Amino acid sequence: MKIHVKKGDLAESATEAAVVAHFEGEPGLDGAAARLDKMSGGFIGDVIGQGDFTGRLYQILVIYSRGSVPAKRMVAVGLGKRSDLTLERLRGAFSKAAQHIRSLNIGEFATSLDLGSVALSIDRIAEAVVEGVRLGLYRFTPFKTAEREQIREIANFTILDTENGALKIIKAAVKTAGIIADAVSFARDIVSAPANEMTPADLANEARQIARREKIKCRVLDEREMRGLGMNALLGVAGGSNEPPQMIVLEYRGGEKAGPVIALVGKGLTFDSGGISIKPSEKMDLMKDDMAGGAAVIAAVQAASQLALPVNLVGLIPAAENLPSGKAYKPGDILKSFSGQTIEIVTTDAEGRLILADALTYACRYKPAAIIDLATLTGACVVALGDNVIGMMGTDEKLKGEIREAADLTGERVWELPLWEEYHELIKGEAADYRNSGGKAGGAITAAAFLSKFTGGYPWVHLDIAGPAWLMKEKPYIPKGASGVGVRLLVQFLRNWNRDRKGA
Ligand code: BES
Ligand code: MN
Ligand code: ZN
């Protein structure tokens, strides 16, 4: 879909569908909607007057203008109460409108962002609308062959404004939002790809391709190099699979030469069967999403480069497949991690923390100002918080605060769980330094406590995305399946980074 920003009035636009917004409980329309309605002779206002369309959040009304205005159809979308307007509601409402238009097989639509008087700035509104439309229209179709011809996408979306000043701001915001939506879509694509098509080597190739296109350096450590370094936790997990593990390293230097480095670490389990501690077969297919953290990191680095963000980044994605075989690691095994610390294997299904341990140790090489890891780490996090929320744990209050702010802006919400000393007791080893599971109770937290042992004392935040990485039921602008969660959160965090660190 191409997005255009043009000078003009929606009321005079010969579009297939002119999308306007309406706030619940208001007798008339406002902003661009009011002008269009007036031109049409009050068609939309009539329907509101009848009480058929109230502007309830996500409500959609399609009216055929029958020549009263140049637009063939007028599509009104409900935004709920004006005083309750949020970026999240805007994303959802414009997604719903775009999805409805696509369901009618319409190939093009236009809108205006003039909503009358609202508390949100025009750049934020533009970003939210473009994100909502792009992310809401996302579909994963590369493996569909039978109904290929029936898959029709909207080709063009135009945003109109009459003022030059606003147009300039909208153009910049549309570009930014487009880059972010591309990154989220990319993450969704590679998470949706089945494990046979997205092996650790495939994941490494995705990272290499991005590096080739962008100002990003990509290095991939192979099995031999990992052996030389002593990354035995990662190698242990990968042992049962014929697919060799990959340690993907992406470097983007957009900040000052000697400036601080931010390390992003993403779990890249391309398939998690549980290994010898094998999972029940029901829903095991979903474990192709166990590289969603890694996907988010690759996508965020791509977006940072395309947005030319003034930050220095290293993205680390330990990639492996967890399978049972005669070469697989076993419960009771003791692995010596890259950090030198030893780990007793209680269950081979707690593999994410093992590959992350070695990646976190690698991150310490950069003496990072911040380490953020994203991982579909524990079912316990889903039990604790449900599947809509990211579990956050970490050692640095400032960093947690910055993540929280980015979360609130993007709607990728986080909720903190405690990392108190008692939890650390639970992962102490019997024969080794640590054990890779602290049991069922507080499982999300003991997993984080385990990770903390490999962060070298650098400011660190862990984000458990086991819940929101894959949606069983769609949300207003997130179709069911791979959500691409974490990408927008990370990018927003990085956009705020310099502002927050000035003088620090
Ligand atoms: N990848 C899973 C976590 C997971 C479970 C993500 C369900 C999404 C949905 C992880 O590797 C895992 O298996 N964790 C275990 C840890 C336990 C054995 C200590 C879990 O959560 O059951
Ligand atoms: Mn597992
Ligand atoms: Zn896993």
Side-chain angles (χ1 to χ4, degrees):
M1 183 180 70
K2 275 223 173 77
I3 304 181
H4 314 270
V5 181
K6 284 190 191 147
K7 186 161 183 159
D9 190 344
L10 193 60
E12 282 155 21
S13 162
T15 176
E16 287 286 321
V19 174
V20 294
H22 179 54
F23 289 104
E24 187 173 8
E26 297 185 3
L29 295 131
D30 198 359
R35 287 197 301 280
L36 182 73
D37 187 49
K38 188 160 171 236
M39 273 270 277
S40 78
F43 268 14
I44 309 172
D46 275 354
V47 182
I48 293 170
Q50 296 292 327
D52 295 15
F53 179 72
T54 61
R56 179 169 42 78
L57 187 60
Y58 307 145
Q59 192 183 9
I60 304 270
L61 167 72
V62 181
I63 295 180
Y64 295 81
S65 61
R66 305 191 71 193
S68 61
V69 289
K72 194 184 279 178
R73 305 168 187 83
M74 297 182 285
V75 177
V77 57
L79 282 183
K81 293 226 167 63
R82 187 182 292 268
S83 54
D84 295 339
L85 184 69
T86 58
L87 295 173
E88 194 67 355
R89 286 185 163 200
L90 268 178
R91 290 182 195 106
F94 277 83
S95 160
K96 292 280 189 186
Q99 287 172 350
H100 192 87
I101 286 166
R102 183 176 64 186
S103 76
L104 297 175
N105 260 324
I106 299 167
E108 175 272 326
F109 72 105
T111 195
S112 156
L113 305 179
D114 175 7
L115 306 172
S117 143
V118 290
L120 301 169
S121 60
I122 186 72
D123 56 331
R124 290 235 162 108
I125 292 175
E127 270 191 43
V129 165
V130 170
E131 274 179 13
V133 168
R134 283 281 314 273
L135 299 179
L137 290 176
Y138 173 87
R139 296 196 268 208
F140 182 70
T141 56
F143 295 93
K144 290 268 186 205
T145 67
E147 291 152 22
R148 197 87 228 144
E149 316 76 58
Q150 271 113 286
I151 302 173
R152 294 225 184 88
E153 301 299 348
I154 297 174
N156 293 291
F157 167 36
T158 307
I159 299 174
L160 294 165
D161 204 293
T162 50
E163 283 172 44
N164 288 330
L167 278 171
K168 212 173 143 201
I169 296 168
I170 294 170
K171 269 188 186 147
V174 166
K175 188 165 174 227
T176 300
I179 288 170
I180 294 169
D182 285 346
V184 176
S185 303
F186 166 75
R188 288 178 181 176
D189 280 346
I190 61 174
V191 174
S192 304
N196 61 324
E197 298 278 344
M198 192 52 63
T199 63
D202 292 322
L203 195 59
N205 282 333
E206 295 290 339
R208 283 193 188 98
Q209 273 178 39
I210 284 172
R212 209 167 299 140
R213 290 197 299 267
E214 304 297 327
K215 273 204 221 134
I216 296 170
K217 272 208 312 206
C218 179
R219 206 149 25 91
V220 181
L221 309 186
D222 63 16
E223 214 171 339
R224 201 177 45 80
E225 288 168 284
M226 287 186 241
R227 214 165 287 289
L229 289 169
M231 293 186 161
N232 300 310
L234 203 173
L235 288 166
V237 171
S241 171
N242 288 344
E243 297 292 341
Q246 317 277 332
M247 177 71 181
I248 304 165
V249 185
L250 289 169
E251 286 178 20
Y252 163 70
R253 303 201 70 97
E256 284 168 27
K257 243 202 163 95
V261 173
I262 304 164
L264 307 177
V265 182
K267 174 176 174 182
L269 247 294
T270 60
F271 188 71
D272 178 15
S273 72
I276 296 294
S277 316
I278 198 159
K279 288 179 180 294
S281 59
E282 199 186 333
K283 290 203 190 150
M284 197 200 272
D285 56 320
L286 288 181
M287 280 299 115
K288 69 172 183 175
D289 86 345
D290 215 14
M291 34 62 75
V297 168
I298 300 175
V301 176
Q302 167 183 295
S305 166
Q306 291 181 353
L307 293 169
L309 296 184
V311 293
N312 297 322
L313 282 185
V314 55
L316 297 165
I317 303 97
E321 195 177 50
N322 187 18
L323 292 182
S325 84
K327 291 211 169 74
Y329 78 137
K330 302 171 291 295
D333 285 1
I334 293 178
L335 304 177
K336 183 162 188 170
S337 72
F338 182 30
S339 71
Q341 303 177 100
T342 53
I343 306 160
E344 212 168 322
I345 305 306
V346 179
T347 162
T348 63
D349 199 11
E351 83 299 331
R353 64 198 74 183
L354 297 171
I355 68 168
L356 287 169
D358 283 352
L360 289 167
T361 302
Y362 195 88
C364 294
R365 285 189 163 187
Y366 293 83
K367 300 192 169 52
I371 306 178
I372 301 166
D373 81 73
L374 287 89
T376 46
L377 203 62
T378 65
C381 195
V382 191
V383 172
L385 298 176
D387 54 13
N388 263 318
V389 187
I390 300 170
M392 174 169 77
M393 286 142 276
T395 51
D396 192 87
E397 292 307 318
K398 180 167 182 188
L399 199 53
K400 282 187 279 192
E402 289 167 325
I403 294 284
R404 220 175 264 124
E405 190 195 341
D408 292 342
L409 267 173
T410 56
E412 297 197 318
R413 287 186 297 181
V414 301
W415 194 257
E416 188 179 0
L417 299 172
L419 250 189
W420 296 315
E421 188 48 42
E422 291 88 329
Y423 296 105
H424 292 260
E425 293 293 323
L426 298 170
I427 49 137
K428 283 205 171 129
E430 201 69 50
D433 299 333
Y434 302 111
R435 44 199 273 130
N436 78 330
S437 168
K440 271 218 166 99
I445 301 173
T446 50
F450 179 91
L451 293 180
S452 74
K453 309 301 177 196
F454 302 88
T455 55
Y458 293 102
W460 161 75
V461 166
H462 160 61
L463 300 173
D464 194 329
I465 57 169
W470 190 274
L471 299 193
M472 305 304 286
K473 191 178 175 307
E474 82 279 358
K475 295 212 282 182
Y477 64 97
I478 311 178
K480 67 179 187 195
S483 65
V485 73
V487 177
R488 292 185 303 119
L489 173 67
L490 285 177
V491 173
Q492 188 61 51
F493 165 80
L494 296 171
R495 288 170 78 185
N496 292 347
W497 174 264
N498 286 305
R499 181 206 66 193
D500 291 344
R501 300 282 154 163
K502 278 251 161 71

